[in-house]
């Protein structure tokens, strides 16, 4: 159930993409070396560094490939050839500079591609998430260009990631997993990585397609059977010892992560026919919004306790706890953009009036709060305090990240176009 008229919603979201989001990122392209500049201040009106975080460059590849495809299909305005030209340059830049001798990806590059240490003395491959986002981006590029050679190189990186996860020989900056805990973020991101690679394999009619789609199902099952509780709460940090269930790490909820993770689940459940996971995933979206919604100021809090309000519980003196306590009441761009798509998708699948209401509530808050009032700059002022005022702090990386907002808007366009045609999601 979508309460607003589908045609008017389509116009609204398409205009936002074409007039507020794409113009900002088109101006942020590095036309000399490839890639995109992302180290802007929170207001987006000043570039603070030309360094390139691999995390964001891989995400940018996905966005530009998806946008190029939509332009070529006359679903968005723009010059698809210009998008593809910059994609080619960006892929070459990354292939020339991001890979270390051990096959891992460097986390941080200079403007021209020199590997840099994001943490002095800790080496270059400090985050397996960077490798994951390179796979996501290269998979989308391979799909767009029907590039078998790039697909095979991407598959090799994917297998390297899986090998590192199996042996435990990996780091996960900026979110190191506390000792004695298993993180929901690992099977969650691997579900999305595998989905994207499986999609490229399907397009290219590769023999690996069946195995990749089955692997996506296994990651989905891990998320839902291991981390999603019977009450629909998704546990971010699962302790190895029973006493850990009194800890702040176990009790805290990350509403945005739950909401994002559940649309990954819904996509794979639909594709694989595992429809029994759909009600549980939808319930988790509803739970995350109910417990995460700030009843005083509106919007989603960054972290909350499983029973609502400020996170609480026993401490183990881990930096992850400090981040939760220091930033729990921030209002960040990405949970809200994820909620826009997830509520719309879940409402479409279930005909739920509550989820349709949640989408409308979220849409009003988001577009009253986040878009940059200076239209000459565009995009969003992504980081806000509890009251919704701009907050010049860093969340995860010192970047204005291109991924969540634009990705969710493009997925919303896919969904609404399918709705308007009466075709399956």
């Amino acid at each position: 159930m979508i309460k607003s008229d589908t045609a008017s919603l389509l116009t609204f979201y398409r205009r936002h993409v074409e007039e507020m989001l794409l113009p900002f990122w088109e101006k942020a392209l590095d036309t000399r070396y490839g890639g995109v500049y992302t180290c802007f201040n929170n207001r987006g009106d000043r570039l603070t560094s030309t360094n390139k975080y691999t995390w964001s460059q891989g995400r940018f590849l996905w966005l530009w490939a998806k946008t190029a495809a939509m332009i070529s299909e006359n679903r968005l305005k723009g010059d698809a050839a210009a998008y593809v030209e910059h994609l080619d340059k960006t892929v070459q830049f990354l292939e020339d500079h991001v890979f270390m001798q051990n096959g891992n990806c460097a986390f941080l590059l200079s403007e021209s591609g020199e590997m840099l240490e994001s943490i002095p003395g800790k080496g270059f491959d400090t985050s397996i998430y960077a490798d994951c986002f390179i796979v996501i981006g290269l998979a989308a590029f391979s799909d767009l260009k029907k590039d078998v050679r790039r697909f095979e190189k991407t598959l090799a990186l994917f297998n390297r990631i899986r090998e590192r996860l199996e042996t435990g020989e990996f780091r996960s900056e900026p979110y190191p997993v506390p000792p004695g805990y298993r993180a929901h973020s690992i099977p969650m991101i691997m579900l999305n990585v595998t989905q994207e690679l499986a999609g490229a394999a399907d397009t290219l009619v590769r023999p690996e397609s069946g195995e990749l789609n089955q692997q996506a199902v296994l990651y989905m099952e891990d998320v839902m059977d291991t981390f999603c509780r019977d009450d629909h709460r998704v546990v971010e940090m699962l302790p190895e010892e029973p006493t850990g269930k009194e800890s702040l790490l176990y009790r805290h909820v990350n509403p945005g992560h739950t909401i994002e993770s559940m649309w990954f689940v819904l996509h794979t459940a639909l594709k694989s026919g595992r429809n029994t996971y759909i009600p549980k995933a939808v319930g988790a979206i509803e739970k995350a919004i109910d417990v995460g919604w700030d009843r005083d100021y509106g919007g989603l809090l960054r972290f909350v306790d499983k029973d609502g309000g400020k996170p609480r519980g026993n401490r183990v003196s881990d930096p992850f706890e400090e981040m939760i306590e220091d930033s729990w009441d921030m209002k960040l761009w990405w949970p809200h953009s994820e909620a826009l798509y997830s509520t719309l998708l879940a409402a479409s699948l279930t005909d739920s009036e509550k989820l349709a209401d949640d989408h409308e509530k979220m849409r009003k808050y988001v577009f009253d709060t986040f878009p940059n009032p200076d239209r000459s700059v565009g995009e969003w002022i992504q980081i806000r305090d509890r009251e919704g005022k701009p907050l010049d702090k860093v969340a995860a990386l010192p970047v204005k990240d291109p991924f969540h907002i634009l990705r969710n808007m493009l997925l919303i366009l896919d969904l609404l176009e399918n709705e308007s045609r009466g075709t399956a999601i």
Side-chain angles (χ1 to χ4, degrees), residues 8 10 19 24 31 49 58 92 127 142 217 240-241 281 313 325 335 354 360 367 369 378:
S8 64
L10 254 174
E19 296 180 5
F24 179 92
T31 56
S49 172
Q92 194 61 58
S127 182
S142 302
V217 170
E240 295 172 359
E241 299 296 333
E325 293 180 313
K354 180 182 184 303
E360 291 300 319
F367 290 100
T369 304

Side-chain angles (χ1 to χ4, degrees), residues 109-169:
L109 304 174
S110 71
E111 180 181 26
S112 59
E114 177 188 3
M115 293 183 187
L116 304 173
E117 288 188 323
S118 60
I119 305 172
K122 296 296 184 180
F124 301 120
D125 52 344
T126 51
S127 182
I128 202 165
Y129 296 128
D131 303 63
C132 289
F133 289 124
I134 290 293
V135 170
I136 285 173
L138 288 176
F141 179 84
S142 302
D143 194 323
L144 177 73
K145 297 290 291 284
K146 310 299 184 287
D147 190 330
V148 172
R149 182 178 70 85
R150 262 21 185 283
F151 172 83
E152 290 174 345
K153 293 180 71 172
T154 308
L155 183 63
L157 176 58
F158 171 76
N159 288 331
R160 171 69 181 152
I161 292 169
R162 291 186 63 198
E163 175 187 319
R164 292 163 68 192
L165 291 175
E166 288 170 3
T167 60
E169 296 177 0

Side-chain angles (χ1 to χ4, degrees), residues 306-319:
K306 67 184 182 68
D307 294 326
K310 184 177 180 178
R312 53 191 181 272
N314 298 335
R315 274 60 164 179
V316 295
S317 299
D318 187 89

